[in-house]
Structures are given as C-alpha cells and as structure tokens.
Amino acid sequence: MAKEQKRKSWAEPFRIKMVELLKMTSYEDRQKAIEEAGYNTFLLRADDVYIDLLTDSGTSAMSDRQWAGMMMGDEAYAGSRNFYHLRDTIEQYYSYKYTVPTHQGRGAEHILSQIMINPGDYVPGNMYFTTTRLHQEMAGGTFVDVIIDQAHDPNDLYPFKGNVDFEKLDKLVSRVGADKIPYICIATCVNMAGGQPISLANLRQLRQWCDEHKIPIVHDMTRVAENAYFIQQREEGCSDKSVAQIVHEICSLTDIATMSAKKDPMVNIGGFLAMNDADLYQKACNMVVIYEGLHTYGGMAGRDMEALAIGITESVHDDHIRARVGQVEYLGDKLAEAGVPIVKPIGGHAVFLDAKRFLPHIPQEQFPAQALTAAVYVQSGVRSMERGAVSAGRDKNTGENYMPKLELVRLTLPRRVYTQAHMDVTAEGVIDVLEKAEQVKGLRITYEPEVLRFFQARFEPIE
Ligand code: F0G
C-alpha cells in the first residue's frame, strides 16, 4: 500500500460543536475602556475584548471528551479515582513517578521553592518567568540567567534559543560553588524569550553536566508539547519520532517538574508538582496540605483532575500540536510579511511584537510595550500582554527598574479557540497601528503594586 500522503495544511483536527457569542465594541468604547483600565490590558473587562490574546493560560477550549470527563468527577476528599488516573497518565506520558496536584503552576513553584531553596542559594534558569523567579526570591534564592545570548536578540534566527549556555553555568559554579545551587530550572519553550525551544542535544548535555555536579534538574513543563514539536521539525534525527515520544524523552532527562496545566493540557485551572524522588515527594506531601489541600487533590476538584488527565493525552497528538503551532505561525508570517517587527523564529504559543523597533520614538523608561498593548486594543479590540520592562519589575536589592533587552508585546493564542479569520483581523489591527506608530505615546506609572506589578499597575500617557 502506498504511504499516506501528508496533508500540507495545518488545519485543525476538530470541528466546532458549541460557540460563545462575543460583544462587538466601537473605537470610542475601547478608548474609554482602556482609560478606565489605567492603560493596563489586565484591568480590562473581558466583555470589552473582541479577540482575547492576553494569554494561553486557562483560556483553551476543552474537547467533548474532557467535558465528559468532568461528569466523571469523584469528589471524595481523599483518594479520588481521578487522582489515580491523573497520576498514572503523568507517569505514562511524562515519566514522573510521583504527582502532587496544585491549583495552578505557581502553587507547584511555591511548594518546590520552599522545600529546596535555602537563603543565600542561587537558582540558574534558561531565562526567568515572573512567578517562578518571585517564588525563588521569596525563599531567599537569587535567580541567575544562563540562557544562550541569542535568546536576548529578537532578530537572531537560531532554532533553539531556549538552550543553556554552559560557560555561564561553569562560571556560576566557580563563583558560588555547586552546594549553593539547589537545582537548575529549565523551561521548555521559554515563554519570556518568545516561546523558544531547547534542543534534546542541549538537554542531554545538561543532564551530564548536572550529574557531574550533583545538581538536580527542575523542568518547567508548561509548554513541553510545543517544544517537542519544534524538536521534531528542527532537530537532526528527530523527524521520525512522534511528539509523544519526544515529550517523554525530554521529561526523562529531568528529575522534577512544575506544570501549569492551564496551557499545554488545555484545562481552565490546575497544575502539579511531579518527581521521581520518594523523599522529596514526602516533603511535598507535607507542604501541600498546608497551602493547597490533601495530597490526592492538592488544589483541584476531582472533575478537574479528570479533564486534565484526558487533556494530557490530547496535547501530545501530532495533528493537534501541528495545528496549534501552525496557527501561531500563520499569524506571525502574516505580520512579518507586512513589515511588522516580530521575534523570530516565531514561537510556539504566541507571536511577540518587538516594541523597541515598533515604537522607536518611545524610550524604554516610558514602557513602549505597555503603550503598544493599549494602542492595539483601542484600534482593534484585540487584547495582548506586555512582556518587557513592566513585567521585569525591579531589582529586589536596589529597587531599580530592570531594563530587559527584550521589550515585547505578546499576542498569545489560546488552543482550539479562534479561527483563521480571527487571525486575519488581528493582523489587520496590528498593521493599522504600525501605519500610525508615531502617534502612540509613552506611559508613566500612576500606581505600582509591590510584586508582580504588571498584573495591577496603572498608567497614564505622557503628553
Ligand atoms: N511557568 C511558565 C513558563 C508560565 O508561562 C506560567 C504562567 C507559569 C509558570 C505559572 O503558572 O499561571 O498556572 O500559576 N504563565 C501565564 C502566561 C500566566 O500568561 O504566560 P500559573
């Protein structure tokens, strides 16, 4: 029999059974809404948004099977059958033996940081994530960036910008000593770098390096399936492997995992901490009862654990992930063709606009990426997220603003939610703003919360 011909299109392997109606707004409505929200898209009412690309977190569409799973919830306080299904699914697909459910990713980060980090420790990572770094700092640790330099350059086309730079790691060890490094935190498809993957080769080398130095690897596996897809597409010798196989291989190279299940596995809420070490598991079980709930439900309802177990199996299907990343690339290509400055290569979960090049007249101190999120919203009703100086926050010791090299706006695609026409409307809106970019004004902060300021800070335009 002839080999099946591969479909050229990335078209979705599903059809739509139910729809959610949206409110349409005018330019004037949106101007008023963004003013009331202090120019912070986190403070908009979702009803005032047409296409919501704020985040891919908890915003994906569950499948009919996941919804059916919700009806199979066993809400027993202890020992729910859904917990065992979830635990076994995690071991099957992700290789980790022990699972502690948490309410979402940061719940897992909290427990892990409190157990493993001592004051004065250093925690290297392939770039930071906002909540991850904060939990490390709150436990007394200091985050150290060990991602390759290319990751900080939005124009560098290197296919694995999530890779670790071993020179940076070696330098850290000789400066502070391996015993001051409780673990190294590796994110798959590094969010803040633009959704950029780490290669299997780099991860294998890291495994060796960590074994030599007796340092465990913590895997922030929030977007591991997207990373695996890029490995399949780009890494030598991997094109014949399935995404599921690559996901399993990535996880097997690491010791511990934190998961925000609101992304890859397409549930609206949930997460977990997973590991292979029995002692660590005991400690995590002791902590989870204080902050989340009993160790067989953590922060989750039985029905949510069931939907998550099913979502994990769906998230690693080749056809699913190809359509998921295909849609992101469709939007990115459309923007790039029109001359919009974006981070390249296009990431797995989002298209990132390069605000420094988009709005060259606004200095970074006036938060160009924040200003761009507001302008895109007012123009088109599309909600995006700032990932630049506002998100980076301040140095915990000096109080100075961090000024990251990457000053980005993230157009994040929820999974299985929007259509190709929605992508066209999004591109039109961004291109319209580009055509009158010089009219966009910089912003100053009028209210700033102490931590994770990007969520609730308020701004006004500098006239
Ligand atoms: N790690 C990564 C890489 C993330 O992207 C997130 C969340 C978390 C950890 C924390 O997980 O939200 O479930 O507590 N990212 C969301 C985003 C908020 O929009 O990128 P959480």
Side-chain angles (χ1 to χ4, degrees):
M1 210 167 77
K3 201 167 176 254
E4 190 196 353
Q5 186 142 29
K6 239 188 145 188
R7 199 161 30 79
K8 287 199 192 76
S9 163
W10 51 267
E12 295 86 350
F14 59 80
R15 59 185 169 189
I16 297 165
K17 198 187 294 239
M18 190 166 80
V19 297
E20 183 180 350
L21 299 181
L22 300 171
K23 185 176 106 180
M24 304 304 281
T25 54
S26 69
Y27 188 92
E28 289 70 31
D29 292 338
R30 295 191 293 270
Q31 241 169 353
K32 194 160 160 266
I34 200 71
E35 247 171 68
E36 280 173 11
Y39 293 82
N40 185 346
T41 51
F42 277 102
L43 301 179
L44 288 168
R45 284 170 183 250
D47 266 350
D48 294 331
V49 172
Y50 173 38
I51 300 174
D52 203 347
L53 308 185
L54 182 72
T55 178
D56 61 333
S57 184
T59 52
S60 294
M62 291 210 295
S63 66
D64 50 354
R65 283 162 218 212
Q66 284 179 293
W67 279 107
M70 296 285 275
M71 295 305 290
M72 306 289 280
D74 168 6
E75 305 306 338
Y77 188 89
S80 157
R81 93 173 82 84
N82 312 119
F83 166 74
Y84 294 104
H85 182 203
L86 174 61
R87 185 198 65 180
D88 294 347
T89 306
I90 289 171
E91 187 171 6
Q92 183 186 345
Y93 286 89
Y94 298 152
S95 82
Y96 307 111
K97 215 163 147 187
Y98 304 107
T99 292
V100 178
T102 57
H103 74 284
Q104 55 185 75
R106 67 199 72 179
E109 291 168 353
H110 173 226
I111 292 171
L112 181 76
S113 303
Q114 291 297 325
I115 297 174
M116 291 193 70
I117 301 174
N118 290 311
D121 279 351
Y122 294 84
V123 189
N126 56 347
M127 209 172 262
Y128 79 102
F129 184 71
T130 52
T131 57
T132 319
R133 186 179 67 190
L134 182 66
H135 278 299
Q136 293 164 357
E137 290 174 352
M138 287 173 80
T142 299
F143 163 81
V144 182
D145 190 7
V146 295
I147 204 166
I148 55 172
D149 285 340
Q150 287 99 313
H152 294 280
D153 178 355
N155 299 314
D156 195 304
L157 292 175
Y158 190 66
F160 293 105
K161 285 162 94 174
N163 280 358
V164 168
D165 183 333
F166 288 94
E167 244 175 66
K168 291 181 187 171
L169 265 187
D170 285 334
K171 242 192 219 160
L172 179 67
V173 170
S174 42
R175 183 162 67 87
V176 305
D179 57 333
K180 284 275 176 230
I181 303 175
Y183 58 84
I184 165 160
C185 181
I186 291 305
T188 31
C189 255
V190 183
N191 192 356
M192 301 300 276
Q196 304 293 329
I198 180 170
S199 71
L200 266 182
N202 191 257
L203 200 52
R204 287 197 196 103
Q205 197 183 340
L206 182 69
R207 180 72 267 168
Q208 221 172 16
W209 188 96
C210 284
D211 288 345
E212 280 161 25
H213 292 84
K214 303 207 167 24
I215 297 173
I217 303 177
V218 171
H219 176 203
D220 180 342
M221 62 178 303
T222 297
R223 296 182 182 86
V224 64
E226 291 162 13
N227 197 119
Y229 175 73
F230 285 130
I231 288 174
Q232 184 194 57
Q233 298 300 308
R234 298 176 187 172
E235 191 160 353
E236 218 182 296
C238 295
S239 61
D240 287 338
K241 294 184 192 181
S242 68
V243 165
Q245 282 172 325
I246 300 170
V247 164
H248 195 275
E249 194 170 346
I250 293 172
C251 295
S252 306
L253 287 164
T254 68
D255 303 292
I256 302 162
T258 57
M259 170 62 118
S260 170
K262 302 166 73 174
K263 281 84 163 177
D264 251 8
M266 296 173 285
V267 286
N268 302 122
I269 192 73
F272 57 79
L273 176 62
M275 66 219 92
N276 295 317
D277 184 279
D279 290 340
L280 187 70
Y281 176 60
Q282 278 310 326
K283 287 185 193 156
C285 286
N286 289 338
M287 280 285 284
V288 78
V289 290
I290 309 173
Y291 293 105
E292 303 271 328
L294 192 73
H295 61 283
T296 55
Y297 73 86
M300 296 183 74
R303 55 178 170 269
D304 288 331
M305 291 192 280
E306 191 60 28
L308 171 52
I310 297 166
I312 288 171
T313 66
E314 293 176 2
S315 74
V316 298
H317 277 180
D318 282 17
D319 284 337
H320 158 72
I321 201 77
R322 181 176 171 219
R324 191 289 184 273
V325 179
Q327 187 177 42
V328 178
E329 288 176 336
Y330 174 82
L331 174 63
D333 287 339
K334 203 156 177 120
L335 290 169
E337 277 162 27
V340 176
I342 62 168
V343 174
K344 288 190 186 155
I346 294 162
H349 66 305
V351 178
F352 289 73
L353 309 179
D354 183 355
K356 282 187 184 170
R357 277 190 293 152
F358 202 116
L359 301 174
H361 60 289
I362 302 180
Q364 199 173 12
E365 294 69 34
Q366 295 179 12
F367 309 117
Q370 187 75 32
L372 187 52
T373 60
V376 168
Y377 168 70
V378 173
Q379 180 66 36
S380 59
V382 172
R383 171 154 73 169
S384 57
M385 185 192 290
E386 193 265 9
R387 292 277 85 152
V390 179
S391 295
R394 292 174 188 275
D395 186 296
K396 67 170 175 169
N397 299 315
T398 65
E400 290 289 308
N401 274 318
Y402 288 118
M403 284 293 146
K405 286 209 181 100
L406 297 179
E407 177 72 22
L408 308 176
V409 166
R410 191 181 73 174
L411 297 162
T412 335
L413 299 200
R415 298 159 188 81
R416 310 193 288 208
V417 171
Y418 290 112
T419 66
Q420 191 159 338
H422 285 125
M423 297 302 100
D424 294 342
V425 170
T426 301
E428 277 167 31
V430 173
I431 293 162
D432 285 346
V433 175
L434 183 65
E435 280 165 5
K436 49 180 184 182
E438 70 292 341
Q439 292 172 23
V440 179
K441 298 187 177 95
L443 298 173
R444 77 166 71 86
I445 297 182
T446 58
Y447 164 69
E448 179 172 351
E450 231 167 85
V451 293
L452 301 178
R453 64 180 180 181
F454 54 94
F455 284 130
Q456 289 139 351
R458 301 183 69 86
F459 303 83
E460 66 185 11
I462 298 173
E463 296 300 336

